[in-house]
Amino acid sequence: MNAEQVRHARALFTDAENTITSIAKLLGVSRTNLYKYVPELAAGRDFLIAPGAGPALPAPRCPALRPRSSSCSGE
């Protein structure tokens, strides 16, 4: 599985309607590989949707709401 498939699997699993089997079929992988590359799926949905359960997202380099006159480096 590639990084995109792993992210997609995590996102899909947060929806209670999606099962491990349906996610594996959608991504074209086996359930075994899904558990191998996304081991937190074995812990269940609550693990993935609980605050602070997974790795934190990095802070944005530029604030989303900033005055129009200022700019971030690299823009």
Side-chain angles (χ1 to χ4, degrees):
M1 290 182 68
N2 61 38
E4 179 72 20
Q5 288 174 311
V6 171
R7 283 192 299 271
H8 199 175
R10 286 181 178 131
L12 288 168
F13 195 62
T14 60
D15 183 349
E17 292 183 14
N18 296 325
T19 64
I20 295 293
T21 301
S22 66
I23 294 168
K25 284 182 183 179
L26 179 71
L27 297 176
V29 299
S30 68
R31 291 179 348 171
T32 302
N33 275 340
L34 197 54
Y35 282 116
K36 177 181 176 181
Y37 288 95
V38 194
E40 62 270 23
L41 295 181
R45 263 178 243 289
D46 293 338
F47 177 80
L48 287 176
I49 58 176
L57 295 175
R61 291 192 300 174
C62 298
L65 301 173
R66 63 180 190 272
R68 289 181 180 254
S69 60
S70 67
S71 65
C72 294
S73 60
E75 286 187 354

